[in-house]
Every structure is written in C-alpha cells, then in structure tokens.
Amino acid sequence: MYFVSFYNTIMKISFIGCTIYIIYLMRFKKPYCLSYDPLADDFPYVKYLLPGALIATIFVHTETKAFEIIWSYTIWLEAGAIIPQLRMLTKIKDVENITGNYVAALGLYLSLIHI
C-alpha cells in the first residue's frame, strides 16, 4: 500500500468505519435488525458475484502489483453489489419511495465511477 494524502486516509477509514457500523445496525441493533429477513435474502453471491468480479479483474486489469489487483477486484465487486438489492426489490414488489430512490442513486453512482 502507499500513502496518498492525509485526507484520503481519513476518508477511507471513515468509509470503512461507517460501513461496519451500518452492517452492525442491520444485523444486531433493534429496531433495524427486525426488518432483515434472512430467508428472503437468498441470492447466491458466492456463485455469481465473487467469480464475476474475479473474471472482470483478470480480463480488464493490466497491472501486476497485488494492491492494484485487489483494488480492481473490490471495484468490480462493488459494481455487482447492486444485483442482490435489485433482486430483493423485485421479490418484495412493494417498494417505498426512499428505497427506490436509494437504489436508483446507487446504480447511477456505480455506473458513473467506471466512466
């Protein structure tokens, strides 16, 4: 790894910390964890997303440094992370406005970062 800037390091640590906190809220903290249904969350991400991101990394990425390859893999994995969310929304069929807007904004963001 390499140091880019103090700002970049703080933002990455903040992003990782916020992500861990959101996962904690969704899985363990009431009342948020009560809306999670593990039976409905049945997307086989190990079968589709992980190998798909690996294949995209192999064919698109040209660097040979380990850090760059891992970074590329996480970018492709993040781009595919919207697929299970879209599948869940199509199963529910009753989508709140805030949820639909969030997924639309996430999809737009993920499509724009690859331009």
Side-chain angles (χ1 to χ4, degrees):
M1 292 195 348
Y2 55 92
F3 180 76
V4 176
S5 70
F6 181 71
Y7 172 79
N8 187 320
T9 303
I10 294 299
M11 292 306 290
K12 286 183 180 189
I13 291 170
S14 300
F15 178 75
I16 292 169
C18 288
T19 302
I20 291 169
Y21 181 65
I22 290 170
I23 291 170
Y24 164 75
L25 289 176
M26 289 176 17
R27 298 305 287 259
F28 304 110
K29 184 76 172 167
K30 290 183 181 179
Y32 309 109
C33 69
L34 299 176
S35 65
Y36 177 69
D37 184 11
L39 297 175
D41 189 14
D42 62 350
F43 185 82
Y45 61 90
V46 174
K47 184 176 180 182
Y48 295 112
L49 290 183
L50 300 180
L54 182 64
I55 290 169
T57 300
I58 290 170
F59 285 115
V60 174
H61 199 72
T62 57
E63 298 270 340
T64 57
K65 295 178 183 175
F67 178 77
E68 294 293 327
I69 292 171
I70 292 169
W71 174 81
S72 179
Y73 180 73
T74 60
I75 293 296
W76 287 107
L77 194 59
E78 182 183 11
I82 196 169
I83 296 170
Q85 296 172 15
L86 291 174
R87 183 166 182 239
M88 181 72 84
L89 290 177
T90 57
K91 286 170 85 176
I92 294 173
K93 298 199 192 292
D94 183 28
V95 180
E96 297 176 8
N97 285 338
I98 189 81
T99 307
N101 292 341
Y102 168 74
V103 172
L106 182 63
L108 182 63
Y109 158 74
L110 292 174
S111 64
L112 291 177
I113 64 170
H114 293 294
I115 293 179

